[in-house]
Amino acid sequence: MIFVSVGTQLPFPRMMKIINEWAGNQTEVVVAQTAEVYSEYLNLESYSFLDAMDFTKYYEAADVIVSHAGMGNIINALQANKPIIIFPRDAALKEHRNDHQKSTARKFANKDGIYVVETRSEFVTAIENIKKGVLQKDILTAPKELESYIIKAIDDWSNK
């Protein structure tokens, strides 16, 4: 199962359209928390909002997480030892106020288990590679290692 989260503050139609189109040709179950009521996501099971218990249920059941570049989802995926596909919002497309999600994605782009995509073809490639185990097999698992990495990434980013 693939679990998709756009966060709770803003819908992310560009990402959801790509995932919905892809899901139309798949047998795999895709569940999404979309932050919007949109009836055209016919190829996946979508919820505008999930309470904490349901969110956790889907997150734990998922083989792959797909998310906007929200730190909560990234950290949760790393701690749960799940591959995550990060789809950063683009301020130029009016998907957010600024490009902090692109900055976040760049900081995590070379980490095991994290795949940063911006297009449909990159998304499809990431899913295929995760399924085949071709790329980035070892996900950070030690909480101390994760904490050290996050602190260093924040320090590096703030020093730029």
Side-chain angles (χ1 to χ4, degrees), residues 48-114:
S48 60
F49 176 78
L50 292 168
D51 64 34
M53 193 164 73
D54 285 336
F55 188 93
T56 300
K57 174 183 76 172
Y58 288 119
Y59 213 97
E60 288 176 354
D63 299 309
V64 177
I65 306 298
V66 181
S67 175
H68 69 135
M71 286 301 296
N73 283 335
I74 295 168
I75 290 169
N76 285 339
L78 290 170
Q79 288 178 330
N81 199 29
K82 293 183 185 284
I84 183 169
I85 299 173
I86 300 172
F87 215 120
R89 296 175 191 266
D90 188 333
L93 298 174
K94 304 211 183 307
E95 294 170 341
H96 220 306
R97 297 176 300 280
N98 57 44
D99 277 329
H100 74 278
Q101 288 204 355
K102 285 188 170 195
S103 297
T104 298
R106 276 195 300 275
K107 293 297 180 187
F108 284 96
N110 295 317
K111 289 295 165 200
D112 290 337
I114 297 177

Side-chain angles (χ1 to χ4, degrees), residues 26 30 35 42 47 60 62 64 69 96 105 112 118 120 128 140 142 151 157:
Q26 307 302 311
V30 179
L42 301 176
Y47 302 92
E60 288 176 354
V64 177
H96 220 306
D112 290 337
E118 294 192 47
R120 185 183 197 284
E128 289 172 356
L140 294 172
I151 290 169
W157 178 77

